[in-house]
Amino acid sequence: MSERPRRGLRFGTTLLVTMLLAGGPLATGSVSAASGRTPTVGSISAGSGVYVDSRTDGSRGPEDRRPKRIKSVTADARDCATLTGRSFRTDDGDARVLSAAVVTTTDTARPLCQAAVVIDDRIRVDVQAPLTWNRRYVQLGGGGFCGSAPTLSGSGADLVAARSAIASSDSGHVGTPFDATWASDSLPGSAQAETDWGNLSEHLTSQAATSVLRGLFRKKTAYSYFIGCSTGGRQALVEAQRYPDDFDGIVAGAPANRQNYLAPLSQGWREVVNHRADRSLIVDLAATDVVRQGVLDACDALDGVVDAVVDDPRTCAFDPGDLACTDDRLSGCLTSEQVTVLRKWYGDPRDSRGSSLYPGGLPLGSEGGWPVSDVPPAGQTLSGGGIYAENVLKFLAFPQDPPATYSLFDFDFDEDPPLLDARARAYNADEPDMSAFRAAGGKLLMHHGLADPLITPMATIQYYEDGLSAMGGLKKVRSWYRMFLLPGVYHCSGGPGPDQVDWYAAIRAWVEKGEAPKRLVASKKDASLTRPLFPYPSKAAYSGAGSTDDQASFVRERGPRGRAVQVVTAH
């Protein structure tokens, strides 16, 4: 909520960078990863991987009343400079301001106060505040393995230009989104670094940043928001589940909330089944082009609009076997081996006994993104998803790192999944019951692209449905927690569908004015295509009149519930 009184593996594909950069009492137990639930434990210390927020500082709940009008406040260059050297308390060590100065960036085109902060000499935080501040604070989540503050590269500049303050962190280590060697057991402090990345850094960043803002403007933050996608979406749900008093409004996009199961059992499993015993590739780039066109031929027009977008992968019946090579069709087709892999990819990952390992496979319509997520370019052994999964297995997945020679192909999908449970407690944010966040007065928007090839949207749909079951049903939950599905959108952004949405405006209107999001508009960056979005399970449908590129030509209709898909996965 708003501020309390005291409270290196390289992947040379630009699109993968976009994909990765765009996150009550517990009972002990072990549950299958495919169920979507992390095995939970009781109160555990931070060193064990779970940080328990035990503040007794009078944190505000829904009974808190703010003034009806929040007035902006101002600061100048001298106010900013005096922050340098100051320290502020957090729940886990002091936050020190290493430097603070007024700068003018090309992104904001106006001066702002930028502060470099370090928490307990391990978590680096970037805070940026306009000199005239509307008393709104927005924290931005990271991507992949994080390793740097996203705001340092321009993320959130539009928010500062609109007079909101922003902050982000490196999540407790320096590195790149694709390299988890910082978590190696051989490095001092790696256990703490894993806890910070897993469940603690964003909570402490919130405390540090709001304290810095109060030191600068001598006023408390009026409203606090968290916005993140991918790892940032996981971080968003960590906040809602573990620290429900930190933020008034949260936006969680394409969340990697089943983190310790997602990487090995979804991304890693797809990589393994697409390689022969000699590590040669089965579904290659040429096959990807064939199946992409085949899916469009089968699914594109089902919504009445031919636009290279599969409106909803759950409603299209498609069998990769229809594209199989025959005596009369020897090119532009799939081998039997490729058909077998594709049928596996579109369904739940499974072990050799047929048991589901993870909820949901690749969605129909995601094929254009496979050259980044699932099919490596020429000369590269692993895809982007495979690289990520192997890093998780080598440095994060187990209580003790495996030998240095360990690879993704050493993981046994029949015997090893239970070994992931212990560290899932530190990284995952898959508890469906977020009643504590609701009780604190929070509002939560979750969204996912229906063509996401990196984190399947089917698992997010399952997670939302699990939440509805745990918290009293759709009618009750939608008063504070809604999900939006974006047709044709890849991981966080990109894809043939409209991927630009003003999530900040939507969550602000809900939190500050009580205007629940009933209809949002998604667009392409060049505004060439716009479509309305409706909260799940509703969806947009073409009215039959007007331009199909104009959101005004679409109406609301009820969509399907759940993640069940029509794709044929076996014969």
Side-chain angles (χ1 to χ4, degrees):
M1 297 296 162
S2 49
E3 185 190 354
R4 309 299 191 259
R6 225 350 305 144
R7 45 159 207 150
L9 290 175
R10 186 175 176 184
F11 188 70
T13 304
T14 302
L15 184 55
L16 180 61
V17 177
T18 303
M19 282 185 168
L20 286 176
L21 294 179
L26 303 177
T28 302
S30 180
V31 182
S32 167
S35 71
R37 293 289 301 276
T38 302
T40 52
V41 294
S43 179
I44 297 179
S45 69
S48 300
V50 175
Y51 188 89
V52 179
D53 184 8
S54 56
R55 278 193 323 242
T56 56
D57 60 358
S59 297
R60 301 190 302 195
E63 74 283 355
D64 178 71
R65 295 293 180 264
R66 298 179 179 82
K68 292 182 179 180
R69 179 171 179 147
I70 306 296
K71 294 183 178 179
S72 295
V73 291
T74 61
D76 57 26
R78 184 172 60 180
D79 296 324
C80 181
T82 58
L83 289 172
T84 302
R86 292 190 62 182
S87 293
F88 303 92
R89 290 290 302 163
T90 74
D91 284 350
D92 193 17
D94 286 346
R96 293 185 297 113
V97 181
L98 303 179
S99 65
V102 170
V103 299
T104 300
T105 69
T106 56
D107 296 307
T108 60
R110 62 174 51 147
L112 59 89
C113 178
Q114 184 168 29
V117 181
V118 63
I119 303 171
D120 196 39
D121 291 325
R122 67 179 200 268
I123 301 170
R124 292 158 184 81
V125 177
D126 175 57
V127 182
Q128 298 181 25
L131 297 184
T132 298
W133 179 43
N134 64 13
R135 296 180 62 195
R136 275 78 176 174
Y137 166 64
V138 185
Q139 189 166 314
L140 301 181
F145 297 119
C146 305
S148 63
T151 49
L152 289 172
S153 58
S155 294
D158 55 329
L159 305 179
V160 178
R163 303 196 186 284
S164 295
I166 62 174
S168 64
S169 83
D170 65 1
S171 79
H173 64 272
V174 175
T176 74
F178 323 116
D179 187 352
T181 53
W182 53 269
S184 171
D185 288 352
S186 64
L187 298 177
S190 61
Q192 182 63 60
E194 291 178 9
T195 297
D196 290 339
W197 178 78
N199 61 68
L200 181 56
S201 64
E202 301 314 295
H203 170 59
L204 300 182
T205 295
S206 171
Q207 293 185 322
T210 52
S211 293
V212 168
L213 292 171
R214 187 176 184 184
L216 175 61
F217 293 101
R218 299 173 184 83
K219 289 286 186 180
K220 297 179 184 179
T221 298
Y223 293 100
S224 290
Y225 300 95
F226 190 98
I227 300 175
C229 194
S230 193
T231 288
R234 177 184 66 82
Q235 292 169 333
L237 293 176
V238 165
E239 282 294 318
Q241 294 167 24
R242 299 185 187 233
Y243 311 105
D245 294 314
D246 279 357
F247 294 96
D248 300 290
I250 290 175
V251 178
N257 62 314
R258 293 179 172 90
Q259 167 62 39
N260 215 41
Y261 303 138
L262 165 71
L265 303 183
S266 178
Q267 296 162 335
W269 179 87
R270 293 199 305 269
E271 190 78 29
V272 170
V273 300
N274 193 33
H275 284 79
R276 302 179 182 91
D278 64 359
R279 302 293 186 266
S280 59
L281 201 63
I282 300 173
V283 174
D284 55 14
L285 294 176
T288 296
D289 287 339
V290 171
V291 73
R292 181 188 64 81
Q293 188 58 54
V295 168
L296 288 178
D297 291 343
C299 308
D300 184 7
L302 293 180
D303 60 345
V305 180
V306 178
D307 54 0
V309 172
V310 176
D311 182 66
D312 191 330
R314 296 169 296 170
T315 61
C316 179
F318 171 76
D319 180 11
D322 293 340
L323 304 174
C325 298
T326 65
D327 291 342
D328 299 323
R329 185 183 186 184
L330 300 177
S331 64
C333 56
L334 303 172
T335 68
S336 60
E337 194 177 27
Q338 291 169 337
V339 168
T340 297
V341 169
L342 290 167
R343 284 176 174 159
K344 291 179 179 180
W345 273 9
Y346 285 126
D348 284 11
R350 296 183 182 276
D351 62 21
S352 64
R353 298 177 292 271
S355 299
S356 178
L357 296 168
Y358 194 84
L362 285 171
L364 294 169
S366 66
E367 297 78 17
W370 290 1
V372 173
S373 63
D374 290 275
V375 181
Q380 185 167 298
T381 303
L382 299 180
S383 69
I387 290 172
Y388 190 86
E390 185 165 84
N391 268 260
V392 168
L393 286 170
K394 292 180 72 170
F395 304 112
L396 288 162
F398 310 117
Q400 182 176 347
D401 289 352
T405 57
Y406 189 91
S407 81
L408 172 61
F409 298 94
D410 292 319
F411 187 84
D412 186 329
F413 291 96
D414 288 336
E415 302 297 331
D416 292 348
L419 302 178
L420 303 172
D421 291 351
R423 297 309 291 158
R425 296 169 185 139
Y427 313 136
N428 286 20
D430 51 5
E431 169 55 54
D433 190 342
M434 293 182 282
S435 298
F437 184 63
R438 177 197 57 78
K443 298 291 189 290
L444 174 59
L445 289 178
M446 189 164 66
H447 63 88
H448 209 133
L450 279 171
D452 190 337
L454 198 62
I455 299 178
T456 174
M458 304 309 166
T460 298
I461 293 171
Q462 183 66 59
Y463 174 66
Y464 189 70
E465 285 284 354
D466 290 345
L468 299 183
S469 297
M471 296 183 289
L474 181 62
K475 185 176 181 180
K476 183 176 181 180
V477 170
R478 68 195 303 269
S479 65
W480 63 276
Y481 175 24
R482 298 187 177 195
M483 179 174 70
F484 290 82
L485 300 175
L486 286 71
V489 174
Y490 294 162
H491 187 58
C492 296
S493 63
D499 57 350
Q500 304 297 302
V501 182
D502 194 342
W503 298 112
Y504 182 44
I507 195 67
R508 273 191 65 179
W510 200 5
V511 167
E512 299 179 26
K513 299 179 182 179
E515 298 174 358
K518 299 177 181 178
R519 186 181 190 278
L520 302 176
V521 175
S523 67
K524 299 299 284 186
K525 284 186 177 180
D526 60 4
S528 61
L529 174 65
T530 61
R531 291 283 170 83
L533 301 175
F534 299 102
Y536 176 90
S538 296
K539 59 184 291 185
Y542 180 50
S543 66
S547 171
T548 57
D549 291 338
D550 185 355
Q551 55 89 18
S553 303
F554 291 78
V555 296
R556 177 175 181 164
E557 73 173 27
R558 188 168 185 83
R561 289 283 299 268
R563 64 181 179 90
V565 294
Q566 300 298 316
V567 63
V568 177
T569 57
H571 277 318

PDB file of all heavy atoms in Angstrom, residues 92 100 121 135 183 265 273 437 559:
ATOM      1  N   ASP A  92      15.004  -5.447   6.418  1.00  0.00           N
ATOM      2  CA  ASP A  92      16.194  -6.289   6.387  1.00  0.00           C
ATOM      3  C   ASP A  92      17.420  -5.440   6.045  1.00  0.00           C
ATOM      4  O   ASP A  92      18.034  -5.597   4.996  1.00  0.00           O
ATOM      5  CB  ASP A  92      16.009  -7.406   5.357  1.00  0.00           C
ATOM      6  CG  ASP A  92      17.058  -8.500   5.497  1.00  0.00           C
ATOM      7  OD1 ASP A  92      17.707  -8.563   6.557  1.00  0.00           O
ATOM      8  OD2 ASP A  92      17.235  -9.276   4.554  1.00  0.00           O
ATOM      9  N   ALA A 100      22.551  11.273  -5.274  1.00  0.00           N
ATOM     10  CA  ALA A 100      21.262  11.831  -5.702  1.00  0.00           C
ATOM     11  C   ALA A 100      21.527  13.163  -6.383  1.00  0.00           C
ATOM     12  O   ALA A 100      22.239  14.015  -5.836  1.00  0.00           O
ATOM     13  CB  ALA A 100      20.321  12.001  -4.517  1.00  0.00           C
ATOM     14  N   ASP A 121      23.824  -3.270   1.435  1.00  0.00           N
ATOM     15  CA  ASP A 121      24.996  -3.494   0.584  1.00  0.00           C
ATOM     16  C   ASP A 121      24.829  -4.643  -0.399  1.00  0.00           C
ATOM     17  O   ASP A 121      25.806  -5.271  -0.818  1.00  0.00           O
ATOM     18  CB  ASP A 121      26.250  -3.751   1.442  1.00  0.00           C
ATOM     19  CG  ASP A 121      26.683  -2.504   2.191  1.00  0.00           C
ATOM     20  OD1 ASP A 121      26.537  -1.403   1.632  1.00  0.00           O
ATOM     21  OD2 ASP A 121      27.142  -2.635   3.334  1.00  0.00           O
ATOM     22  N   ARG A 135       2.501  12.407  -5.982  1.00  0.00           N
ATOM     23  CA  ARG A 135       2.435  11.540  -4.806  1.00  0.00           C
ATOM     24  C   ARG A 135       1.976  10.118  -5.120  1.00  0.00           C
ATOM     25  O   ARG A 135       1.510   9.387  -4.269  1.00  0.00           O
ATOM     26  CB  ARG A 135       1.585  12.160  -3.702  1.00  0.00           C
ATOM     27  CG  ARG A 135       2.189  13.458  -3.157  1.00  0.00           C
ATOM     28  CD  ARG A 135       1.344  14.079  -2.069  1.00  0.00           C
ATOM     29  NE  ARG A 135       1.236  13.194  -0.916  1.00  0.00           N
ATOM     30  CZ  ARG A 135       0.329  13.345   0.049  1.00  0.00           C
ATOM     31  NH1 ARG A 135      -0.529  14.348  -0.020  1.00  0.00           N
ATOM     32  NH2 ARG A 135       0.291  12.508   1.061  1.00  0.00           N
ATOM     33  N   ALA A 183      24.002 -17.237  -8.900  1.00  0.00           N
ATOM     34  CA  ALA A 183      23.402 -18.068  -7.854  1.00  0.00           C
ATOM     35  C   ALA A 183      24.215 -19.323  -7.579  1.00  0.00           C
ATOM     36  O   ALA A 183      23.783 -20.185  -6.799  1.00  0.00           O
ATOM     37  CB  ALA A 183      21.983 -18.460  -8.255  1.00  0.00           C
ATOM     38  N   LEU A 265      10.030 -27.935 -16.298  1.00  0.00           N
ATOM     39  CA  LEU A 265       8.953 -28.837 -16.699  1.00  0.00           C
ATOM     40  C   LEU A 265       8.140 -28.337 -17.878  1.00  0.00           C
ATOM     41  O   LEU A 265       7.378 -29.116 -18.470  1.00  0.00           O
ATOM     42  CB  LEU A 265       8.025 -29.094 -15.511  1.00  0.00           C
ATOM     43  CG  LEU A 265       8.697 -29.657 -14.254  1.00  0.00           C
ATOM     44  CD1 LEU A 265       7.668 -29.930 -13.176  1.00  0.00           C
ATOM     45  CD2 LEU A 265       9.490 -30.923 -14.579  1.00  0.00           C
ATOM     46  N   VAL A 273      12.279 -32.735 -25.653  1.00  0.00           N
ATOM     47  CA  VAL A 273      11.523 -33.592 -26.581  1.00  0.00           C
ATOM     48  C   VAL A 273      11.763 -33.199 -28.033  1.00  0.00           C
ATOM     49  O   VAL A 273      11.460 -33.985 -28.943  1.00  0.00           O
ATOM     50  CB  VAL A 273      10.012 -33.578 -26.275  1.00  0.00           C
ATOM     51  CG1 VAL A 273       9.743 -34.072 -24.866  1.00  0.00           C
ATOM     52  CG2 VAL A 273       9.403 -32.209 -26.510  1.00  0.00           C
ATOM     53  N   PHE A 437      -4.577  -9.848   0.440  1.00  0.00           N
ATOM     54  CA  PHE A 437      -4.439  -8.651  -0.396  1.00  0.00           C
ATOM     55  C   PHE A 437      -5.793  -7.962  -0.568  1.00  0.00           C
ATOM     56  O   PHE A 437      -5.898  -6.735  -0.511  1.00  0.00           O
ATOM     57  CB  PHE A 437      -3.847  -9.033  -1.756  1.00  0.00           C
ATOM     58  CG  PHE A 437      -3.567  -7.861  -2.655  1.00  0.00           C
ATOM     59  CD1 PHE A 437      -2.644  -6.889  -2.290  1.00  0.00           C
ATOM     60  CD2 PHE A 437      -4.224  -7.723  -3.868  1.00  0.00           C
ATOM     61  CE1 PHE A 437      -2.381  -5.800  -3.116  1.00  0.00           C
ATOM     62  CE2 PHE A 437      -3.967  -6.647  -4.705  1.00  0.00           C
ATOM     63  CZ  PHE A 437      -3.052  -5.682  -4.323  1.00  0.00           C
ATOM     64  N   GLY A 559     -16.820 -15.680 -23.314  1.00  0.00           N
ATOM     65  CA  GLY A 559     -15.854 -16.620 -23.850  1.00  0.00           C
ATOM     66  C   GLY A 559     -15.823 -17.898 -23.048  1.00  0.00           C
ATOM     67  O   GLY A 559     -16.555 -18.062 -22.068  1.00  0.00           O
TER      68      GLY A 559
END
